[in-house]
Amino acid sequence: VDSNGNEEWNQTYGGSQGLSEEFASSTGYSIKQTSDNGYILTGRASFCKDNNEIKPLELCAESEENIRINAFVILKIDDLGQQIWITSYGGQGDGYEESLDGLSIIETYDGYVAAGRRLIQDQYSLILIKTDFNGQIEWERVYPNKTAYSLDISDDGGFIISGRLIE
């Protein structure tokens, strides 16, 4: 959308829109323009394990054996909205439901940092993920009993996160 509110382009990601089939049901929560004039997004991709086979939600049979999983997703697009790369985190769901959401993302001098939340077996954790400029995960950190909603870089090169303490 330009400065007058006119749509310049729009793009849908997920399903038949260029992401792999297991990311058919996706939600974006944060987008930022990057130094190369592209954009970086974070959110989640929802799918299920149906008899240990990963499938889009809409292809999963209604069954108690099926496990719904939300993976933390980071997506890099160019200035016209074309996908450059996608990285996902989580989604193992080993016998239990797992929900991860990327809720905020920033560019750093050497890549990107995204913050979000993980819910496994009624336990919330804050997730912090650092990638390089090509989407390769360099490190991840998990902080129990917290969730993140917003992230920024501090003057000392660290990160400041707003969120919620879960007691």
Side-chain angles (χ1 to χ4, degrees), residues 104-164:
S104 185
I105 192 160
I106 60 170
E107 183 175 4
T108 65
Y109 73 93
D110 62 348
Y112 306 101
V113 175
R117 66 179 171 225
R118 177 179 74 178
L119 174 63
I120 297 176
Q121 298 177 328
D122 297 323
Q123 295 287 88
Y124 278 98
S125 297
L126 184 155
I127 303 288
L128 198 61
I129 298 175
K130 169 76 172 80
T131 72
D132 65 16
F133 283 116
N134 297 312
Q136 297 301 309
I137 294 174
E138 295 180 347
W139 52 257
E140 68 263 354
R141 303 289 186 269
V142 178
Y143 304 93
N145 304 315
K146 299 169 183 66
T147 63
Y149 296 116
S150 183
L151 166 72
D152 207 348
I153 195 161
S154 60
D155 290 341
D156 65 0
F159 307 101
I160 186 163
I161 302 167
S162 69
R164 180 175 166 211

Side-chain angles (χ1 to χ4, degrees), residues 45-118:
S46 301
F47 52 96
C48 75
K49 276 193 174 178
D50 183 2
N51 295 323
N52 278 334
E53 182 182 346
I54 293 178
K55 295 182 178 178
L57 288 178
E58 44 287 344
L59 297 181
C60 288
E62 293 293 323
S63 167
E64 289 190 20
E65 287 97 41
N66 293 342
I67 300 167
R68 182 186 170 121
I69 298 166
N70 294 321
F72 191 124
V73 175
I74 301 171
L75 173 66
K76 177 72 171 99
I77 60 174
D78 67 18
D79 62 334
L80 298 176
Q82 299 303 306
Q83 179 181 324
I84 297 171
W85 53 258
I86 184 168
T87 295
S88 65
Y89 174 80
Q92 278 69 45
D94 296 326
Y96 50 82
E97 287 195 3
E98 178 179 42
S99 181
L100 291 98
D101 297 291
L103 299 173
S104 185
I105 192 160
I106 60 170
E107 183 175 4
T108 65
Y109 73 93
D110 62 348
Y112 306 101
V113 175
R117 66 179 171 225
R118 177 179 74 178

Side-chain angles (χ1 to χ4, degrees), residues 9-19 24 26 75 81 83:
W9 56 264
N10 77 53
Q11 181 68 39
T12 301
Y13 305 96
S16 62
Q17 305 301 321
L19 300 183
S26 304
L75 173 66
Q83 179 181 324

Side-chain angles (χ1 to χ4, degrees), residues 1-11 39 79-80:
V1 176
D2 69 17
S3 60
N4 293 316
N6 300 309
E7 183 177 287
E8 293 183 344
W9 56 264
N10 77 53
Q11 181 68 39
Y39 300 90
D79 62 334
L80 298 176

